[in-house]
Amino acid sequence: MHAHASRPQARQTTLLRRAALFDFPASTDLSPGTEAARHHTIQWLSRFGVFEDHESVAEYDALRFDVLAGLFYPRETGADLNLGSDLVGWYFVFDDQFDGELGSRPEAVARLVADVIRITEEDAAQGGEGPLLESFRDLWRRINSGRPQVWRDRFRHHWLEYLHSYHHEALERTGALPGPGRDAPRSVEAVLALRRHSIGVQPCLDLNEPFGGYTLPPALHGGFPMARMREATDDVVVFTNDIASLDKELAVGDVHNSVIVQWERAGGELEDAVRHIADLANARYRWFEETAARLPALLTEAGADPGTHHAVGRYVDGMRHVMTGNLGWSVRTARYDERGTEAVSGGRQRPWAQLTGAEELVRAGRGAPLPPLGSGSGSR
């Protein structure tokens, strides 16, 4: 009895010990509107039928995705924070759809991704398509309403990169990707190149612009050093997530984790791989802060006006909030503790993980031609 009761504490102790390897802070700067956003998002998802009963709501609520949104956007309250919380909540509900058979069925994943992408198209047909797609349609409409076209194009491009990553991951799980060297040990950089999209950070960063009342020009957003700072933000969040979720992903056999990849390549002890990935995260974060300190002088040299200085400063803060907020949430959520691991072990899935009609998707996909996935995925 005593040993069983101590397991959750041991798992939490391991997580906190690993989190202590990071040199950057775990944010506690939480928006005062977080509790209201918590209730809003649960009601919003419930309205579309995402949860089948009170037990499902309680299991979702224990993961405290609202805290993640409140740490990402600590200066926002009301409708803006609610919107950010809805985005974060939908992300995780969508991600949990792929923990079962669907995640290893590329043809079925392609169909689901194509269904979501159709909603992002301006001529998307209206109509009932189930809780997952209907909630996304409402989210997409609210996020994009009244935004400048340049921002909407950028936001959609980031969404397409995120969505396509699920199909790529499914192909990797089945060994279906073509090319030489498929049986060679994977590299951290190769996994990171995919995880930068699947982690879903860029659309979260995009929301900082409408929340702050500005829109970064494409040349500034996509040029050096801002583009590289956004990539560093991706990397820090990926590495943090891979360390926080390590025990959970080892339990379910997920291969898209940089710690696991490093362990496979280098051998040795698992904790050696953990320290290696934490060192990579720390190096990325140090580079980010050093570059952020040089940005005002770089903008002045480029002749930027005070408004641009202010907007860039707000956006840099947004990237920092995402990195430190993700770490702050990771050590607080039940998603990565003993309960989180048990919730997805032994073939169990989250109660909201069957919103896609996965069995029908899998059956429909067998032997049928795939829909095109490249449409609209190029840079805008």
Side-chain angles (χ1 to χ4, degrees), residues 357-370:
E359 293 181 1
E360 290 78 7
L361 274 171
V362 169
R363 283 197 299 269
R366 292 186 179 120
L370 293 178

Side-chain angles (χ1 to χ4, degrees), residues 364-378:
R366 292 186 179 120
L370 293 178
L373 280 180
S375 176
S377 63

Side-chain angles (χ1 to χ4, degrees), residues 6-324:
S6 68
R7 271 206 324 264
Q9 182 62 37
R11 182 69 57 81
Q12 185 66 13
T13 299
T14 299
L15 177 57
L16 292 175
R17 174 171 49 78
R18 289 170 176 168
L21 296 170
F22 296 115
D23 291 341
F24 53 92
S27 177
T28 58
D29 188 9
L30 192 65
S31 165
T34 299
E35 187 66 17
R38 175 186 189 179
H39 295 290
H40 165 85
T41 296
I42 288 175
Q43 292 172 359
W44 176 70
L45 291 170
S46 298
R47 178 158 56 90
F48 288 98
V50 168
F51 306 120
E52 60 183 19
D53 51 35
H54 292 299
E55 288 75 17
S56 300
V57 172
E59 185 169 334
Y60 172 90
D61 190 36
L63 306 180
R64 295 310 305 267
F65 298 127
D66 57 288
V67 169
L68 183 58
L71 293 170
F72 276 7
Y73 311 112
R75 304 294 174 261
E76 308 306 327
T77 58
D80 283 348
L81 185 63
N82 290 345
L83 193 58
S85 178
D86 291 350
L87 172 64
V88 170
W90 193 92
Y91 261 151
F92 282 96
V93 167
F94 185 69
D95 187 72
D96 285 341
Q97 306 305 308
F98 302 92
D99 284 344
E101 183 181 7
L102 178 63
S104 297
R105 297 287 185 176
E107 70 287 346
V109 173
R111 280 172 172 73
L112 175 58
V113 168
D115 286 342
V116 179
I117 289 175
R118 274 194 290 273
I119 295 174
T120 73
E121 297 167 353
E122 291 184 352
D123 59 350
Q126 302 297 308
E129 295 172 320
L132 195 67
L133 296 180
E134 280 298 291
S135 57
F136 179 75
R137 176 177 285 112
D138 179 74
L139 180 66
W140 188 259
R141 175 187 57 78
R142 289 189 292 131
I143 288 178
N144 283 276
S145 179
R147 312 301 189 203
Q149 189 64 47
V150 64
W151 183 90
R152 294 175 61 185
D153 288 344
R154 185 158 65 220
F155 184 67
R156 183 173 185 269
H157 170 65
H158 290 152
W159 261 96
L160 296 183
E161 290 181 324
Y162 164 72
L163 292 168
H164 288 314
S165 71
Y166 282 98
H167 184 238
H168 193 113
E169 286 184 345
L171 290 170
E172 286 194 348
R173 291 189 187 102
T174 59
L177 288 178
R182 192 177 66 192
D183 296 329
R186 296 171 298 152
S187 69
V188 169
E189 281 300 325
V191 172
L192 184 59
L194 175 60
R195 293 277 283 134
R196 284 171 181 153
H197 300 311
S198 66
I199 199 67
V201 161
Q202 294 304 315
C204 291
L205 291 179
D206 288 334
L207 287 187
N208 282 288
E209 296 177 70
F211 289 175
Y214 63 89
T215 302
L216 294 178
L220 181 60
H221 186 273
F224 183 84
M226 292 291 285
R228 183 64 189 90
M229 293 176 75
R230 290 189 294 106
E231 186 177 275
T233 303
D234 279 332
D235 294 355
V236 170
V237 174
V238 167
F239 292 143
T240 302
N241 178 260
D242 287 355
I243 290 174
S245 65
L246 178 59
D247 289 342
K248 168 179 163 292
E249 288 170 0
L250 286 170
V252 301
D254 197 344
V255 299
H256 295 102
N257 183 297
S258 58
V259 177
I260 296 172
V261 170
Q262 174 64 22
W263 191 27
E264 289 173 348
R265 288 182 67 89
E269 299 296 326
L270 176 61
E271 294 308 313
D272 292 336
V274 172
R275 283 189 289 272
H276 178 82
I277 296 304
D279 287 345
L280 293 180
N282 291 333
R284 299 296 204 277
Y285 190 85
R286 283 194 300 272
W287 179 89
F288 174 91
E289 290 293 7
E290 290 166 0
T291 306
R294 295 196 302 269
L295 261 180
L298 292 173
L299 289 170
T300 298
E301 290 174 8
D305 59 33
T308 299
H309 275 268
H310 178 72
V312 169
R314 287 285 302 265
Y315 194 85
V316 169
D317 281 343
M319 290 188 277
R320 189 178 291 113
H321 292 321
V322 164
M323 289 185 283
T324 62

